[in-house]
Amino acid sequence: MKRFKLGFLIGIVSVCFLAMGAMAPNTVSAKVTFVTIGTGGVTGVYYPTGGAISKIVNKKSKQYHLKVTVESTGGSVFNVNAIMAGDLEFGIVESSRQYQAWHGEKEWAKKGPQKALRSICSFHPESVTIVAGDDTGINTFMDLKGKHINIGNPGSGQRGEAIDMLTQAGIDWKKDIKAEGMKAVESAQMLQDGRIDAFFYTVGHPNGSIKEATAGKRKVHFVPVPDSIIMPLVKKHSYFAKAFIPIKFYPGASNKSDVPTIAVKATFCTSKKVPAWIVYDITKEIFDNLETFKKLHPAFGVLTKQNMLTGLTAPIHPGALKYYKESGLIKYIPKSLIK
Ligand code: GLU
């Protein structure tokens, strides 16, 4: 009984310290706050992006009393839902999925707009990458009809883009193809083993999954998306843009030139419940050390402070906003994102 009481007392005291830490981190010097970033499969680009953020911020762990950890997850949709549930503090989310969550569309049609979602910044562009076996007879997008295709797990971003594009082409993904719902990390091996004909993956380039898929025994290629599918989708949705997959990264693929497709952006999201000081410190470390950050993954080569403020839909978190005001970057932020 006594032991129980003592344990209870220690518990109460630590809860008080936790609360104090949440309010004023610098007054409780010994306490470190842990936050987690939800990413994607380990062979994608979200996972190393989370790694890059944590590396940059954790260098200052002692100063900030903050430690960033990274979790491999099912992708964009999973990350939004985990942030909203309070299971994750941060997540990397496709710009398309951020838009849909904020407006209560697609996966969020029943739940409604995710009003607690907040944006911080964006990172690399991601293109819808369709990889098919050379021996499958899939040469054009329309050839996907009747084939066995991994369109992605339900928590992923790519599943939404795959369904949008197939629907735009008049292909019913439930009836006209044999659709798999596996994680992207499985796709390369499944394609190489002949267990699927093709897969969709919305991802930055270069990345490990596509390298693995194009470097095996089975010869594979990227399926080009025709303008007849790209243009109506780009017109309909502000988060889509036309883009090309640079084949220089994948010498094993059979394509001879860069491949047209649709692109979105990887964005950095959080919840309005995450304290401003945490979001401020992380934003500041990313932007103040952008040149170092960019060296951490080749997909970051195109990043500039200005283009990292595009592709956002949810209001900017107050902690990030504080940094953008201080640094003068606020002039690049649309008024609609400042709430
Ligand atoms: N875009 C993918 C998704 O939202 C993840 C890509 C990656 O992990 O780099 O699920």
Side-chain angles (χ1 to χ4, degrees):
M1 188 64 186
K2 249 195 184 150
R3 273 175 84 179
F4 170 74
K5 268 196 187 149
L6 188 66
F8 186 68
L9 195 69
I10 292 172
I12 293 277
V13 169
S14 24
V15 166
C16 289
F17 269 93
L18 208 83
M20 282 165 71
M23 286 183 295
N26 296 326
T27 58
V28 186
S29 55
K31 165 107 179 55
V32 174
T33 301
F34 284 81
V35 292
T36 305
I37 305 175
T39 59
V42 293
T43 46
V45 185
Y46 285 9
Y47 190 71
T49 301
I53 299 167
S54 72
K55 191 167 179 189
I56 291 257
V57 177
N58 289 348
K59 270 189 199 159
K60 301 260 180 81
S61 265
K62 283 214 178 104
Q63 184 185 329
Y64 291 144
H65 309 289
L66 182 65
K67 195 125 204 166
V68 177
T69 60
V70 175
E71 197 175 299
S72 169
T73 73
S76 289
V77 173
F78 178 95
N79 294 341
V80 168
N81 292 337
I83 293 169
M84 294 297 89
D87 295 336
L88 290 173
E89 286 76 26
F90 297 93
I92 307 182
V93 176
E94 289 177 4
S95 49
S96 46
R97 300 324 215 136
Q98 186 189 139
Y99 180 101
Q100 292 156 9
W102 176 252
H103 290 284
E105 296 175 5
K106 299 270 164 94
E107 273 83 346
W108 297 277
K110 277 196 193 127
K111 292 186 206 160
Q114 302 299 295
K115 290 293 181 202
L117 190 65
R118 292 293 178 269
S119 62
I120 298 169
C121 64
S122 60
F123 298 113
H124 56 281
E126 306 184 79
S127 43
V128 180
T129 307
I130 311 163
V131 191
D134 285 3
D135 54 4
T136 57
I138 302 171
N139 294 309
T140 69
F141 192 93
M142 288 314 291
D143 295 332
L144 291 171
K145 203 168 175 172
K147 300 294 192 223
H148 190 181
I149 305 163
N150 186 20
I151 63 169
N153 57 296
S156 73
Q158 54 268 5
R159 190 174 174 94
E161 281 89 51
I163 292 173
D164 278 347
M165 288 162 78
L166 290 163
T167 308
Q168 186 64 43
I171 300 172
D172 183 335
W173 70 275
K174 286 186 182 149
K175 285 193 217 135
D176 298 336
I177 61 167
K178 188 173 173 208
E180 290 292 346
M182 309 291 284
K183 285 186 174 174
V185 71
E186 315 243 20
S187 287
Q189 197 60 49
M190 285 173 83
L191 185 66
Q192 279 300 324
D193 290 350
R195 286 182 281 147
I196 49 172
D197 298 316
F199 68 84
F200 280 77
Y201 193 15
T202 306
V203 67
H205 297 286
N207 72 79
S209 276
I210 305 296
K211 280 195 177 154
E212 188 188 343
T214 52
K217 260 203 179 133
R218 189 182 193 188
K219 286 282 150 215
V220 305
H221 61 279
F222 300 112
V223 181
V225 183
D227 272 352
S228 58
I229 295 172
I230 297 175
M231 297 329 279
L233 285 172
V234 167
K235 253 196 194 152
K236 231 185 283 174
H237 304 294
S238 53
Y239 45 75
F240 282 149
K242 182 172 175 171
F244 290 85
I245 300 162
I247 61 153
K248 65 170 188 233
F249 293 132
Y250 309 107
S254 308
N255 306 73
K256 296 277 172 284
S257 54
D258 290 352
V259 182
T261 186
I262 277 176
V264 296
K265 282 190 90 178
T267 72
F268 193 28
C269 292
T270 186
S271 154
K272 73 172 192 188
K273 292 189 192 123
V274 174
W277 70 269
I278 297 178
V279 181
Y280 173 83
D281 289 349
I282 294 178
T283 311
K284 181 174 167 56
E285 285 313 306
I286 297 171
F287 278 82
D288 281 357
N289 299 295
L290 189 57
E291 288 318 307
T292 311
F293 182 83
K294 282 170 71 170
K295 291 194 188 101
L296 298 177
H297 197 285
F300 300 157
V302 295
L303 299 187
T304 65
K305 288 184 179 176
Q306 193 173 345
N307 72 22
M308 286 169 72
L309 298 171
T310 62
L312 310 173
T313 309
I316 308 268
H317 189 286
L321 211 54
K322 180 176 174 227
Y323 174 77
Y324 298 142
K325 278 182 191 151
E326 270 176 23
S327 59
L329 289 168
I330 189 90
K331 61 175 180 281
Y332 300 121
I333 298 175
K335 296 255 175 319
S336 58
L337 298 182
I338 306 174
K339 290 247 158 80

